[in-house]
Amino acid sequence: QVQLVESGGGLVQAGGSLRLSCAASGRTFSTYTMAWFRQTPGKGREFVAAIPWSGGSTPYADSVKGRFSISRDNAKNMVYLQMNSLKPEDTAVYYCAVHRNGGYYFVSSYAYWGQGTQVTVSS
């Protein structure tokens, strides 16, 4: 079992930056791909970014490419999402997740989820 806790969300002006953190507990954390998803009432939960256990190739949603950067520190059981050039449409609850099997872009591919952290971008 893995437990995840997100933090770092808040209110920021358009064009600003935020750094989200996800603290993980569990002995197998470092062996799994991790991902960030986000959810709004109108759009549901959508893929943002993922990072393999090795910290290699990192896929991003088209909507955040060039603005967001995912990273992880396996020694500290942490995964991060650096968000730059934020837009009002980035407003959502952001969730950290642990991959189980299946495609990285699908909610159903992930076994564990945090409680989420709210990000609000004002115009």
Side-chain angles (χ1 to χ4, degrees):
Q1 300 293 322
V2 176
Q3 295 80 44
L4 306 172
V5 179
E6 301 94 337
S7 63
L11 176 64
V12 64
Q13 187 177 2
S17 298
L18 283 173
R19 182 180 176 86
L20 304 185
S21 298
C22 174
S25 62
R27 296 174 64 184
T28 62
F29 166 78
S30 64
T31 69
Y32 289 95
T33 291
M34 304 289 293
W36 288 94
F37 284 74
R38 64 188 183 185
Q39 184 168 358
T40 62
K43 298 179 67 176
R45 193 167 297 191
E46 64 177 355
F47 174 81
V48 176
I51 183 167
W53 67 268
S54 63
S57 181
T58 52
Y60 294 89
D62 288 341
S63 59
V64 306
K65 285 181 179 177
R67 300 188 299 119
F68 291 11
S69 179
I70 189 172
S71 61
R72 68 190 296 167
D73 186 337
N74 291 337
K76 297 181 179 179
N77 293 330
M78 298 289 290
V79 62
Y80 307 97
L81 185 68
Q82 178 66 46
M83 305 185 295
N84 300 321
S85 301
L86 283 162
K87 305 175 181 179
E89 54 261 44
D90 295 319
T91 296
V93 177
Y94 283 72
Y95 296 90
C96 181
V98 179
H99 185 259
R100 178 175 60 189
N101 53 53
Y104 293 163
Y105 298 91
F106 306 128
V107 169
S108 61
S109 300
Y110 294 81
Y112 303 102
W113 299 84
Q115 84 290 342
T117 185
Q118 177 71 47
V119 172
T120 302
V121 184
S122 62
S123 60

